[in-house]
Amino acid sequence: MFTKIGESKWMKLVLFITTFAFVGTALVALIVYKMSGKMTGAVEVNGREISMQRYMYEVNLIQSNLERQGVDIAPLRKAIKAQALNNIINEELIYQEAEKEGIVATKEEVKEAILHIPAFQENGVFSKDRYLAIVNSMGISPQFFEEILRKQITKDHIFALIDGSTYLTKEELNVFLNKELSKITGKVLIIEPKLKITDNILKEFYKKNLKLFTGKKGKEIVIYEISIKDLGKEKAASLAKEIFLKMKNNQPVEVKNGVKKIFEGVLYKEEQLKNLPEKVIKDLKSLSKDKNISFVKTDKAYYLAQFKKEVTKPMPFKEVKKQVELYYKQKKIKEEIQNLYGKLEKDIASGKTLEQLKKKYGGKIEKIEKLSLRGLSQKYFIPINEISDLLKTKIGKLSKPIKTQGSILVVQIDKVEIEKDEKTKDLENMLKKALYNEKLNDLITAYVLKLREKAEIKINPRLTE
Protein backbone atom coordinates (compact mmCIF):
# COMPACT_ATOMS: atom_id res chain seq x y z
CA MET A 1 0.00 0.00 0.00
CA PHE A 2 2.72 2.46 0.98
CA THR A 3 4.78 1.73 -2.13
CA LYS A 4 1.74 2.61 -4.26
CA ILE A 5 1.32 5.89 -2.41
CA GLY A 6 4.98 6.70 -2.89
CA GLU A 7 4.73 6.08 -6.63
CA SER A 8 1.34 7.73 -7.10
CA LYS A 9 0.79 10.40 -9.74
CA TRP A 10 -0.11 12.87 -7.01
CA MET A 11 3.25 12.46 -5.30
CA LYS A 12 5.14 12.69 -8.58
CA LEU A 13 3.24 15.89 -9.28
CA VAL A 14 4.26 17.35 -5.93
CA LEU A 15 7.87 16.36 -6.34
CA PHE A 16 8.17 17.81 -9.82
CA ILE A 17 7.77 21.28 -8.33
CA THR A 18 11.30 22.49 -7.69
CA THR A 19 10.67 26.17 -7.18
CA PHE A 20 8.17 27.65 -4.77
CA ALA A 21 8.59 30.84 -2.80
CA PHE A 22 6.49 33.39 -0.96
CA VAL A 23 6.89 37.09 -1.64
CA GLY A 24 7.97 39.06 1.44
CA THR A 25 5.24 41.65 1.03
CA ALA A 26 2.59 38.94 1.24
CA LEU A 27 3.88 37.92 4.66
CA VAL A 28 3.82 41.53 5.84
CA ALA A 29 0.24 41.90 4.59
CA LEU A 30 -0.70 38.72 6.43
CA ILE A 31 0.68 40.07 9.73
CA VAL A 32 -1.17 43.38 9.27
CA TYR A 33 -4.37 41.50 8.43
CA LYS A 34 -4.04 39.33 11.53
CA MET A 35 -3.54 42.39 13.75
CA SER A 36 -6.78 43.85 12.35
CA GLY A 37 -8.69 40.82 13.67
CA LYS A 38 -9.82 39.59 10.25
CA MET A 39 -9.47 36.11 8.74
CA THR A 40 -5.82 35.37 8.05
CA GLY A 41 -6.22 31.98 6.43
CA ALA A 42 -7.53 31.20 2.98
CA VAL A 43 -10.69 29.53 4.21
CA GLU A 44 -12.46 28.23 7.30
CA VAL A 45 -14.12 24.81 7.13
CA ASN A 46 -16.43 24.08 10.07
CA GLY A 47 -14.45 26.56 12.17
CA ARG A 48 -11.05 25.12 11.25
CA GLU A 49 -8.76 27.48 9.36
CA ILE A 50 -6.74 26.42 6.31
CA SER A 51 -3.62 28.54 5.93
CA MET A 52 -2.85 30.88 3.08
CA GLN A 53 0.35 28.89 2.60
CA ARG A 54 -1.64 25.72 1.89
CA TYR A 55 -3.79 27.60 -0.61
CA MET A 56 -0.79 29.10 -2.41
CA TYR A 57 0.89 25.70 -2.48
CA GLU A 58 -2.19 24.23 -4.20
CA VAL A 59 -2.27 27.11 -6.71
CA ASN A 60 1.39 26.48 -7.55
CA LEU A 61 0.74 22.76 -7.83
CA ILE A 62 -2.01 23.23 -10.43
CA GLN A 63 -0.06 25.88 -12.35
CA SER A 64 3.08 23.74 -12.51
CA ASN A 65 1.14 20.75 -13.77
CA LEU A 66 -0.50 22.80 -16.54
CA GLU A 67 2.78 24.45 -17.55
CA ARG A 68 4.46 21.06 -17.91
CA GLN A 69 1.69 20.15 -20.34
CA GLY A 70 2.45 23.26 -22.37
CA VAL A 71 -0.74 25.08 -21.34
CA ASP A 72 -0.73 28.89 -21.27
CA ILE A 73 -1.93 29.63 -17.73
CA ALA A 74 -2.30 33.41 -18.13
CA PRO A 75 -6.01 33.32 -19.11
CA LEU A 76 -6.69 30.55 -16.57
CA ARG A 77 -5.47 32.21 -13.37
CA LYS A 78 -8.96 32.89 -12.04
CA ALA A 79 -10.08 29.30 -12.74
CA ILE A 80 -6.88 27.92 -11.20
CA LYS A 81 -7.45 29.86 -7.97
CA ALA A 82 -11.06 28.66 -7.82
CA GLN A 83 -9.93 25.07 -8.35
CA ALA A 84 -7.26 25.40 -5.67
CA LEU A 85 -9.88 26.65 -3.19
CA ASN A 86 -12.18 23.76 -4.04
CA ASN A 87 -9.36 21.24 -3.64
CA ILE A 88 -8.30 22.37 -0.17
CA ILE A 89 -11.92 22.66 1.04
CA ASN A 90 -12.71 19.13 -0.16
CA GLU A 91 -9.49 17.80 1.35
CA GLU A 92 -10.33 19.32 4.74
CA LEU A 93 -13.92 18.06 4.69
CA ILE A 94 -12.76 14.51 3.95
CA TYR A 95 -10.06 14.76 6.65
CA GLN A 96 -12.61 15.92 9.24
CA GLU A 97 -14.91 13.05 8.29
CA ALA A 98 -12.00 10.61 8.63
CA GLU A 99 -11.36 11.98 12.13
CA LYS A 100 -14.95 11.13 13.08
CA GLU A 101 -14.52 7.61 11.68
CA GLY A 102 -11.13 7.13 13.36
CA ILE A 103 -9.25 6.36 10.14
CA VAL A 104 -6.84 9.31 9.97
CA ALA A 105 -3.40 8.30 8.66
CA THR A 106 -0.88 7.68 11.44
CA LYS A 107 2.62 9.13 11.72
CA GLU A 108 3.96 5.65 10.95
CA GLU A 109 1.99 5.52 7.68
CA VAL A 110 3.33 8.94 6.67
CA LYS A 111 6.89 7.90 7.52
CA GLU A 112 6.52 4.63 5.61
CA ALA A 113 5.15 6.48 2.56
CA ILE A 114 8.08 8.94 2.56
CA LEU A 115 10.59 6.09 2.76
CA HIS A 116 9.11 4.55 -0.39
CA ILE A 117 8.99 7.71 -2.55
CA PRO A 118 11.61 7.12 -5.31
CA ALA A 119 12.52 10.82 -5.53
CA PHE A 120 13.83 10.67 -1.93
CA GLN A 121 16.04 7.64 -2.55
CA GLU A 122 19.66 7.14 -3.57
CA ASN A 123 20.55 3.73 -4.99
CA GLY A 124 17.18 2.43 -3.86
CA VAL A 125 17.63 3.58 -0.25
CA PHE A 126 15.92 6.52 1.46
CA SER A 127 18.22 9.55 1.86
CA LYS A 128 17.32 12.08 4.53
CA ASP A 129 19.61 14.70 2.97
CA ARG A 130 17.94 14.24 -0.43
CA TYR A 131 14.49 14.45 1.18
CA LEU A 132 15.30 17.71 2.99
CA ALA A 133 16.96 19.23 -0.09
CA ILE A 134 13.95 18.55 -2.32
CA VAL A 135 11.40 19.73 0.25
CA ASN A 136 13.42 22.90 0.93
CA SER A 137 13.68 23.59 -2.82
CA MET A 138 9.87 23.60 -2.85
CA GLY A 139 9.90 26.47 -0.35
CA ILE A 140 8.18 24.48 2.39
CA SER A 141 9.13 22.80 5.64
CA PRO A 142 9.24 19.02 6.14
CA GLN A 143 6.39 19.40 8.68
CA PHE A 144 4.22 21.15 6.07
CA PHE A 145 4.99 18.49 3.45
CA GLU A 146 4.25 15.67 5.88
CA GLU A 147 0.91 17.25 6.85
CA ILE A 148 -0.11 17.39 3.16
CA LEU A 149 0.95 13.76 2.74
CA ARG A 150 -0.95 12.78 5.91
CA LYS A 151 -4.16 14.29 4.49
CA GLN A 152 -3.57 12.63 1.12
CA ILE A 153 -3.17 9.17 2.71
CA THR A 154 -6.24 9.83 4.87
CA LYS A 155 -8.23 10.73 1.76
CA ASP A 156 -7.06 7.46 0.18
CA HIS A 157 -8.43 5.61 3.25
CA ILE A 158 -11.87 7.16 2.75
CA PHE A 159 -11.83 6.49 -0.99
CA ALA A 160 -10.74 2.91 -0.36
CA LEU A 161 -13.83 2.41 1.80
CA ILE A 162 -16.04 3.79 -0.97
CA ASP A 163 -14.20 1.63 -3.50
CA GLY A 164 -14.75 -1.45 -1.32
CA SER A 165 -18.50 -0.88 -1.21
CA THR A 166 -18.83 -0.14 -4.94
CA TYR A 167 -19.97 -2.90 -7.27
CA LEU A 168 -21.68 -3.27 -10.63
CA THR A 169 -24.98 -5.09 -10.86
CA LYS A 170 -25.58 -7.47 -13.77
CA GLU A 171 -28.33 -5.17 -14.97
CA GLU A 172 -26.04 -2.12 -14.99
CA LEU A 173 -23.34 -4.06 -16.78
CA ASN A 174 -25.66 -5.56 -19.37
CA VAL A 175 -27.32 -2.24 -20.18
CA PHE A 176 -23.92 -0.61 -20.61
CA LEU A 177 -22.41 -3.46 -22.66
CA ASN A 178 -25.49 -3.77 -24.85
CA LYS A 179 -25.36 -0.06 -25.53
CA GLU A 180 -21.69 -0.15 -26.50
CA LEU A 181 -21.41 -3.54 -28.22
CA SER A 182 -24.79 -4.12 -29.88
CA LYS A 183 -24.96 -4.07 -33.67
CA ILE A 184 -28.31 -3.21 -35.22
CA THR A 185 -29.76 -4.37 -38.52
CA GLY A 186 -32.99 -2.85 -39.79
CA LYS A 187 -34.41 0.21 -41.53
CA VAL A 188 -34.77 3.90 -40.79
CA LEU A 189 -37.40 6.28 -42.20
CA ILE A 190 -36.13 9.85 -42.57
CA ILE A 191 -38.78 12.56 -42.90
CA GLU A 192 -37.66 16.11 -43.60
CA PRO A 193 -40.37 18.79 -43.28
CA LYS A 194 -41.30 20.45 -46.57
CA LEU A 195 -41.55 24.20 -46.30
CA LYS A 196 -43.13 26.70 -48.66
CA ILE A 197 -40.87 29.75 -48.83
CA THR A 198 -41.69 32.92 -50.81
CA ASP A 199 -40.49 36.52 -50.54
CA ASN A 200 -43.83 37.56 -49.07
CA ILE A 201 -43.62 34.88 -46.35
CA LEU A 202 -40.05 35.96 -45.50
CA LYS A 203 -40.99 39.66 -45.45
CA GLU A 204 -43.87 38.94 -43.08
CA PHE A 205 -41.54 36.95 -40.82
CA TYR A 206 -39.00 39.81 -41.00
CA LYS A 207 -41.59 42.39 -39.90
CA LYS A 208 -42.72 40.27 -36.93
CA ASN A 209 -39.14 39.61 -35.78
CA LEU A 210 -37.28 42.88 -36.37
CA LYS A 211 -35.31 42.42 -33.14
CA LEU A 212 -33.54 39.43 -34.70
CA PHE A 213 -32.13 41.57 -37.51
CA THR A 214 -30.72 44.54 -35.67
CA GLY A 215 -28.31 46.96 -37.28
CA LYS A 216 -27.42 50.40 -36.03
CA LYS A 217 -27.95 51.21 -32.37
CA GLY A 218 -29.07 54.64 -31.30
CA LYS A 219 -30.76 56.53 -28.51
CA GLU A 220 -33.96 58.51 -28.59
CA ILE A 221 -33.30 61.94 -27.09
CA VAL A 222 -34.63 65.49 -26.99
CA ILE A 223 -32.36 68.56 -26.76
CA TYR A 224 -33.30 72.09 -25.67
CA GLU A 225 -31.24 75.25 -26.11
CA ILE A 226 -31.77 78.21 -23.72
CA SER A 227 -30.18 81.33 -25.20
CA ILE A 228 -28.13 83.46 -22.77
CA LYS A 229 -27.79 86.13 -25.48
CA ASP A 230 -31.58 86.54 -25.88
CA LEU A 231 -32.64 86.10 -22.24
CA GLY A 232 -29.71 87.39 -20.25
CA LYS A 233 -27.66 85.37 -17.75
CA GLU A 234 -30.12 85.39 -14.83
CA LYS A 235 -33.27 84.51 -16.77
CA ALA A 236 -31.46 81.89 -18.86
CA ALA A 237 -30.05 80.27 -15.70
CA SER A 238 -33.51 80.29 -14.07
CA LEU A 239 -35.15 78.72 -17.13
CA ALA A 240 -32.39 76.10 -17.42
CA LYS A 241 -32.95 75.12 -13.79
CA GLU A 242 -36.69 74.94 -14.33
CA ILE A 243 -36.33 72.69 -17.40
CA PHE A 244 -33.82 70.50 -15.60
CA LEU A 245 -36.28 69.88 -12.73
CA LYS A 246 -39.09 69.09 -15.17
CA MET A 247 -36.87 66.58 -16.99
CA LYS A 248 -35.86 65.03 -13.69
CA ASN A 249 -39.52 64.57 -12.72
CA ASN A 250 -40.52 63.43 -16.25
CA GLN A 251 -42.78 66.44 -16.75
CA PRO A 252 -43.46 68.06 -20.17
CA VAL A 253 -41.16 70.94 -21.13
CA GLU A 254 -42.80 74.07 -22.56
CA VAL A 255 -41.13 75.68 -25.59
CA LYS A 256 -41.36 79.45 -25.10
CA ASN A 257 -39.43 82.63 -25.83
CA GLY A 258 -35.69 81.95 -25.56
CA VAL A 259 -36.15 78.18 -25.42
CA LYS A 260 -35.70 76.08 -28.59
CA LYS A 261 -36.16 72.38 -29.13
CA ILE A 262 -33.20 71.84 -31.43
CA PHE A 263 -33.37 68.02 -31.71
CA GLU A 264 -35.97 65.36 -31.10
CA GLY A 265 -35.61 61.86 -32.42
CA VAL A 266 -33.19 58.97 -32.60
CA LEU A 267 -29.50 59.78 -32.52
CA TYR A 268 -27.47 57.22 -34.48
CA LYS A 269 -24.27 59.13 -35.21
CA GLU A 270 -22.49 62.33 -34.17
CA GLU A 271 -22.88 63.89 -37.63
CA GLN A 272 -26.53 64.52 -36.76
CA LEU A 273 -25.35 67.07 -34.16
CA LYS A 274 -22.41 68.60 -36.07
CA ASN A 275 -23.68 72.19 -35.51
CA LEU A 276 -23.55 71.86 -31.71
CA PRO A 277 -20.52 72.86 -29.61
CA GLU A 278 -17.97 70.05 -29.10
CA LYS A 279 -18.45 70.29 -25.32
CA VAL A 280 -22.17 69.50 -25.73
CA ILE A 281 -21.59 66.60 -28.16
CA LYS A 282 -19.08 65.07 -25.77
CA ASP A 283 -21.58 65.09 -22.89
CA LEU A 284 -24.39 63.76 -25.07
CA LYS A 285 -22.31 60.64 -25.72
CA SER A 286 -22.59 59.69 -22.06
CA LEU A 287 -26.41 59.75 -22.07
CA SER A 288 -27.97 56.41 -21.11
CA LYS A 289 -30.73 54.94 -18.93
CA ASP A 290 -28.39 55.41 -15.94
CA LYS A 291 -27.49 59.02 -16.81
CA ASN A 292 -30.62 60.27 -18.54
CA ILE A 293 -30.07 64.07 -18.38
CA SER A 294 -27.28 66.17 -19.88
CA PHE A 295 -26.76 69.74 -18.62
CA VAL A 296 -24.06 71.82 -20.36
CA LYS A 297 -23.39 75.59 -20.23
CA THR A 298 -21.44 77.45 -22.90
CA ASP A 299 -20.79 81.18 -23.30
CA LYS A 300 -23.86 81.60 -25.52
CA ALA A 301 -26.43 79.09 -24.17
CA TYR A 302 -27.50 76.30 -21.86
CA TYR A 303 -28.05 72.89 -23.47
CA LEU A 304 -30.29 70.35 -21.75
CA ALA A 305 -30.89 66.88 -23.20
CA GLN A 306 -33.01 64.01 -21.96
CA PHE A 307 -32.52 60.31 -22.79
CA LYS A 308 -35.78 58.50 -23.59
CA LYS A 309 -34.80 54.97 -24.60
CA GLU A 310 -32.36 52.88 -26.57
CA VAL A 311 -33.38 52.19 -30.15
CA THR A 312 -32.09 49.62 -32.60
CA LYS A 313 -32.56 50.25 -36.28
CA PRO A 314 -33.28 47.01 -38.17
CA MET A 315 -31.17 46.12 -41.18
CA PRO A 316 -32.96 46.48 -44.56
CA PHE A 317 -34.70 43.28 -45.71
CA LYS A 318 -32.58 43.03 -48.87
CA GLU A 319 -29.37 42.99 -46.83
CA VAL A 320 -30.52 40.28 -44.41
CA LYS A 321 -32.72 38.16 -46.69
CA LYS A 322 -30.49 35.06 -46.35
CA GLN A 323 -30.39 35.48 -42.59
CA VAL A 324 -34.18 35.89 -42.48
CA GLU A 325 -34.60 32.69 -44.51
CA LEU A 326 -32.26 30.79 -42.17
CA TYR A 327 -34.16 31.93 -39.04
CA TYR A 328 -37.49 31.18 -40.71
CA LYS A 329 -36.40 27.66 -41.67
CA GLN A 330 -35.07 26.92 -38.18
CA LYS A 331 -38.29 28.08 -36.54
CA LYS A 332 -40.66 26.39 -39.00
CA ILE A 333 -38.72 23.11 -39.15
CA LYS A 334 -38.84 22.88 -35.36
CA GLU A 335 -42.59 23.54 -35.40
CA GLU A 336 -43.20 21.02 -38.20
CA ILE A 337 -41.12 18.34 -36.47
CA GLN A 338 -43.12 18.83 -33.27
CA ASN A 339 -46.37 18.61 -35.26
CA LEU A 340 -45.20 15.48 -37.11
CA TYR A 341 -44.11 13.85 -33.86
CA GLY A 342 -47.62 13.74 -32.47
CA LYS A 343 -49.12 12.41 -35.72
CA LEU A 344 -46.43 9.73 -36.10
CA GLU A 345 -46.87 8.61 -32.50
CA LYS A 346 -50.57 7.91 -33.13
CA ASP A 347 -49.89 6.12 -36.44
CA ILE A 348 -47.17 3.93 -34.90
CA ALA A 349 -49.47 3.05 -31.98
CA SER A 350 -52.20 2.05 -34.49
CA GLY A 351 -49.82 -0.47 -36.13
CA LYS A 352 -48.87 1.30 -39.36
CA THR A 353 -45.77 -0.05 -41.14
CA LEU A 354 -42.66 1.90 -42.13
CA GLU A 355 -43.75 1.79 -45.80
CA GLN A 356 -47.22 3.11 -44.92
CA LEU A 357 -45.68 6.00 -42.97
CA LYS A 358 -43.42 6.79 -45.93
CA LYS A 359 -46.41 6.86 -48.26
CA LYS A 360 -48.34 9.17 -45.92
CA TYR A 361 -45.56 11.59 -44.92
CA GLY A 362 -42.98 11.20 -47.67
CA GLY A 363 -39.29 10.92 -46.86
CA LYS A 364 -36.99 8.01 -47.61
CA ILE A 365 -36.18 4.60 -46.10
CA GLU A 366 -32.57 3.52 -45.66
CA LYS A 367 -31.28 0.10 -44.67
CA ILE A 368 -28.94 -0.24 -41.71
CA GLU A 369 -26.79 -3.31 -41.26
CA LYS A 370 -24.74 -4.23 -38.20
CA LEU A 371 -24.47 -0.60 -37.15
CA SER A 372 -23.53 0.23 -33.55
CA LEU A 373 -25.70 2.60 -31.53
CA ARG A 374 -22.87 5.11 -31.52
CA GLY A 375 -22.53 4.75 -35.29
CA LEU A 376 -26.28 5.17 -35.68
CA SER A 377 -26.16 8.33 -33.58
CA GLN A 378 -23.33 9.80 -35.64
CA LYS A 379 -24.79 8.89 -39.04
CA TYR A 380 -28.29 10.25 -38.41
CA PHE A 381 -27.48 12.90 -35.78
CA ILE A 382 -29.62 11.17 -33.16
CA PRO A 383 -29.29 12.76 -29.70
CA ILE A 384 -27.33 10.46 -27.38
CA ASN A 385 -30.16 10.42 -24.79
CA GLU A 386 -32.49 8.93 -27.43
CA ILE A 387 -30.09 6.15 -28.44
CA SER A 388 -30.48 3.93 -25.36
CA ASP A 389 -34.27 3.78 -25.86
CA LEU A 390 -33.80 2.13 -29.26
CA LEU A 391 -32.67 -1.10 -27.59
CA LYS A 392 -36.00 -1.23 -25.75
CA THR A 393 -37.82 -1.45 -29.10
CA LYS A 394 -39.07 -4.96 -29.80
CA ILE A 395 -37.65 -6.79 -32.82
CA GLY A 396 -39.72 -6.10 -35.93
CA LYS A 397 -41.55 -3.19 -34.28
CA LEU A 398 -41.13 0.53 -34.90
CA SER A 399 -39.37 2.83 -32.48
CA LYS A 400 -41.04 5.94 -31.19
CA PRO A 401 -40.39 9.00 -33.42
CA ILE A 402 -36.93 10.52 -32.92
CA LYS A 403 -36.45 14.28 -33.34
CA THR A 404 -33.14 15.47 -34.81
CA GLN A 405 -32.09 18.99 -35.71
CA GLY A 406 -33.58 18.97 -39.22
CA SER A 407 -35.65 15.82 -39.51
CA ILE A 408 -37.70 13.19 -37.69
CA LEU A 409 -36.81 9.50 -37.76
CA VAL A 410 -38.56 6.19 -37.19
CA VAL A 411 -36.38 3.08 -36.79
CA GLN A 412 -37.40 -0.52 -37.39
CA ILE A 413 -35.03 -2.97 -35.70
CA ASP A 414 -34.96 -6.38 -37.36
CA LYS A 415 -31.96 -7.80 -35.51
CA VAL A 416 -29.70 -6.95 -32.56
CA GLU A 417 -26.51 -8.93 -32.08
CA ILE A 418 -23.24 -8.83 -30.19
CA GLU A 419 -20.46 -10.56 -32.11
CA LYS A 420 -18.10 -12.33 -29.72
CA ASP A 421 -14.44 -12.46 -30.71
CA GLU A 422 -11.08 -11.61 -29.14
CA LYS A 423 -11.46 -7.92 -29.92
CA THR A 424 -14.90 -7.66 -28.35
CA LYS A 425 -13.71 -9.56 -25.27
CA ASP A 426 -10.91 -7.03 -24.79
CA LEU A 427 -13.36 -4.21 -25.42
CA GLU A 428 -15.82 -5.74 -22.96
CA ASN A 429 -13.15 -5.86 -20.22
CA MET A 430 -12.17 -2.28 -20.97
CA LEU A 431 -15.79 -1.14 -20.84
CA LYS A 432 -16.37 -2.94 -17.52
CA LYS A 433 -13.39 -1.10 -16.04
CA ALA A 434 -14.54 2.23 -17.50
CA LEU A 435 -18.07 1.76 -16.14
CA TYR A 436 -16.76 0.80 -12.69
CA ASN A 437 -14.45 3.84 -12.57
CA GLU A 438 -17.27 6.09 -13.70
CA LYS A 439 -19.56 4.76 -10.98
CA LEU A 440 -16.81 5.06 -8.35
CA ASN A 441 -16.08 8.67 -9.38
CA ASP A 442 -19.80 9.48 -9.25
CA LEU A 443 -20.06 8.04 -5.73
CA ILE A 444 -16.99 9.96 -4.55
CA THR A 445 -18.34 13.18 -6.08
CA ALA A 446 -21.73 12.64 -4.41
CA TYR A 447 -20.00 11.89 -1.09
CA VAL A 448 -17.98 15.13 -1.21
CA LEU A 449 -21.02 17.18 -2.29
CA LYS A 450 -22.97 15.81 0.67
CA LEU A 451 -20.17 16.87 3.03
CA ARG A 452 -20.17 20.34 1.48
CA GLU A 453 -23.93 20.72 1.89
CA LYS A 454 -23.68 20.17 5.64
CA ALA A 455 -20.47 22.18 6.11
CA GLU A 456 -19.97 25.77 7.22
CA ILE A 457 -17.46 27.27 4.80
CA LYS A 458 -16.07 30.80 5.00
CA ILE A 459 -13.73 32.01 2.25
CA ASN A 460 -11.32 34.89 2.86
CA PRO A 461 -12.84 37.89 1.00
CA ARG A 462 -9.39 38.76 -0.37
CA LEU A 463 -9.47 35.61 -2.50
CA THR A 464 -12.77 36.50 -4.16
CA GLU A 465 -11.92 40.10 -5.02
Side-chain angles (χ1 to χ4, degrees):
M1 175 183 173
F2 301 118
T3 305
K4 286 183 180 178
I5 291 170
E7 294 175 350
S8 70
K9 290 181 181 178
W10 183 87
M11 282 307 305
K12 287 178 182 177
L13 189 65
V14 173
L15 297 171
F16 262 110
I17 302 175
T18 55
T19 55
F20 182 87
F22 287 103
V23 181
T25 53
L27 294 176
V28 173
L30 191 61
I31 293 167
V32 172
Y33 216 69
K34 191 173 182 72
M35 289 174 69
S36 70
K38 296 181 180 178
M39 187 191 293
T40 57
V43 64
E44 279 184 12
V45 179
N46 295 324
R48 187 178 297 177
E49 188 174 275
I50 304 173
S51 70
M52 197 66 76
Q53 183 189 26
R54 176 68 187 94
Y55 165 72
M56 289 305 300
Y57 182 86
E58 192 69 22
V59 170
N60 265 267
L61 197 65
I62 297 169
Q63 287 182 171
S64 299
N65 186 35
L66 291 172
E67 285 172 340
R68 282 198 305 278
Q69 295 174 50
V71 177
D72 178 15
I73 65 169
L76 301 174
R77 294 195 186 279
K78 192 172 181 180
I80 288 169
K81 289 177 180 178
Q83 183 61 55
L85 264 177
N86 265 325
N87 289 354
I88 62 174
I89 289 169
N90 291 346
E91 177 187 73
E92 182 59 35
L93 284 169
I94 291 167
Y95 188 78
Q96 289 180 18
E97 198 64 18
E99 285 180 321
K100 294 176 189 175
E101 299 293 331
I103 54 172
V104 170
T106 63
K107 288 183 180 180
E108 288 71 25
E109 285 180 292
V110 174
K111 181 181 177 182
E112 191 69 20
I114 290 171
L115 292 175
H116 284 88
I117 293 172
F120 298 153
Q121 296 176 355
E122 286 183 359
N123 301 319
V125 180
F126 174 76
S127 167
K128 187 177 180 180
D129 290 340
R130 187 175 178 82
Y131 166 60
L132 293 174
I134 290 175
V135 171
N136 287 334
S137 73
M138 292 158 67
I140 58 175
S141 68
Q143 292 81 7
F144 182 76
F145 175 78
E146 287 163 21
E147 184 57 28
I148 292 174
L149 184 53
R150 178 184 174 88
K151 289 190 173 181
Q152 177 62 33
I153 298 170
T154 299
K155 185 167 73 173
D156 289 343
H157 288 344
I158 291 282
F159 289 175
L161 288 176
I162 299 173
D163 189 1
S165 61
T166 303
Y167 62 92
L168 295 174
T169 65
K170 283 186 179 180
E171 187 180 346
E172 285 176 319
L173 192 56
N174 287 337
V175 169
F176 187 71
L177 291 178
N178 286 342
K179 182 180 172 183
E180 296 297 328
L181 300 177
S182 291
K183 304 283 185 181
I184 293 175
T185 297
K187 298 172 185 174
V188 58
L189 170 63
I190 307 157
I191 303 171
E192 294 179 350
K194 295 179 178 65
L195 302 178
K196 183 182 177 182
I197 299 176
T198 65
D199 273 9
N200 286 337
I201 288 172
L202 293 179
K203 283 176 182 176
E204 189 63 28
F205 180 78
Y206 167 77
K207 287 176 185 175
K208 289 179 179 178
N209 299 275
L210 288 174
K211 288 182 180 178
L212 294 174
F213 313 105
T214 55
K216 296 176 182 177
K217 289 187 176 182
K219 38 195 173 187
E220 186 181 326
I221 62 172
V222 58
I223 307 172
Y224 296 96
E225 180 186 70
I226 299 97
S227 173
I228 294 174
K229 182 181 176 183
D230 294 344
L231 299 170
K233 288 183 179 181
E234 287 186 17
K235 192 170 181 181
S238 177
L239 262 176
K241 184 179 178 182
E242 180 186 322
I243 292 171
F244 174 79
L245 290 172
K246 284 186 176 181
M247 284 182 169
K248 192 175 179 182
N249 294 311
N250 288 315
Q251 295 173 342
V253 175
E254 184 184 350
V255 177
K256 49 190 175 182
N257 186 35
V259 179
K260 290 182 183 178
K261 186 190 288 183
I262 59 173
F263 182 89
E264 184 174 25
V266 181
L267 181 65
Y268 286 109
K269 49 189 177 181
E270 289 177 32
E271 284 77 4
Q272 291 172 268
L273 305 173
K274 59 185 178 183
N275 295 325
L276 291 177
E278 190 176 331
K279 183 180 178 182
V280 176
I281 294 172
K282 186 178 179 182
D283 200 61
L284 287 172
K285 285 182 185 179
S286 65
L287 276 177
S288 67
K289 62 180 181 181
D290 297 319
K291 182 200 169 184
N292 66 343
I293 298 174
S294 170
F295 189 114
V296 179
K297 178 180 179 291
T298 67
D299 293 336
K300 296 180 179 178
Y302 286 94
Y303 293 88
L304 282 91
Q306 186 172 23
F307 173 89
K308 300 289 186 181
K309 62 181 179 180
E310 288 182 350
V311 177
T312 305
K313 186 177 182 181
M315 297 285 283
F317 175 75
K318 286 182 180 179
E319 291 182 27
V320 290
K321 184 179 175 181
K322 285 185 179 179
Q323 193 180 349
V324 173
E325 187 174 345
L326 180 64
Y327 274 107
Y328 177 78
K329 279 183 177 179
Q330 286 175 342
K331 185 175 185 293
K332 284 297 174 184
I333 285 173
K334 192 174 180 181
E335 288 174 1
E336 283 298 308
I337 286 175
Q338 187 60 41
N339 184 38
L340 276 170
Y341 187 90
K343 291 178 180 178
L344 282 165
E345 251 189 337
K346 289 178 182 177
D347 284 338
I348 291 168
S350 70
K352 279 191 168 53
T353 66
L354 212 60
E355 286 71 20
Q356 286 172 329
L357 294 178
K358 178 182 181 297
K359 188 176 179 180
K360 183 175 180 179
Y361 298 103
K364 60 181 178 179
I365 294 176
E366 290 184 359
K367 289 184 178 180
I368 48 177
E369 190 168 347
K370 292 185 178 180
L371 195 61
S372 69
L373 287 175
R374 199 173 293 277
L376 197 65
S377 172
Q378 291 170 350
K379 184 174 181 179
Y380 296 106
F381 306 101
I382 300 173
I384 232 43
N385 60 312
E386 298 271 8
I387 278 293
S388 298
D389 288 340
L390 278 177
L391 287 178
K392 298 174 186 176
T393 306
K394 291 181 180 179
I395 300 299
K397 299 293 183 180
L398 303 185
S399 71
K400 68 176 186 179
I402 300 168
K403 290 182 276 190
T404 71
Q405 198 166 8
S407 64
I408 190 160
L409 314 175
V410 180
V411 179
Q412 177 182 308
I413 299 177
D414 296 327
K415 192 177 181 181
V416 178
E417 55 190 324
I418 297 177
E419 297 175 347
K420 292 284 184 179
D421 56 28
E422 288 303 316
K423 286 185 179 179
T424 54
K425 283 180 182 177
D426 291 340
L427 181 59
E428 188 174 331
N429 290 329
M430 186 179 74
L431 290 172
K432 283 180 184 177
K433 189 175 180 181
L435 178 60
Y436 181 84
N437 289 335
E438 184 181 333
K439 186 171 183 180
L440 178 60
N441 287 334
D442 287 345
L443 288 170
I444 288 171
T445 301
Y447 176 79
V448 174
L449 285 174
K450 192 174 180 181
L451 293 179
R452 288 186 79 120
E453 284 173 8
K454 296 187 293 182
E456 185 181 350
I457 299 167
K458 295 178 183 177
I459 297 171
N460 192 316
R462 288 182 294 159
L463 301 184
T464 56
E465 289 172 357

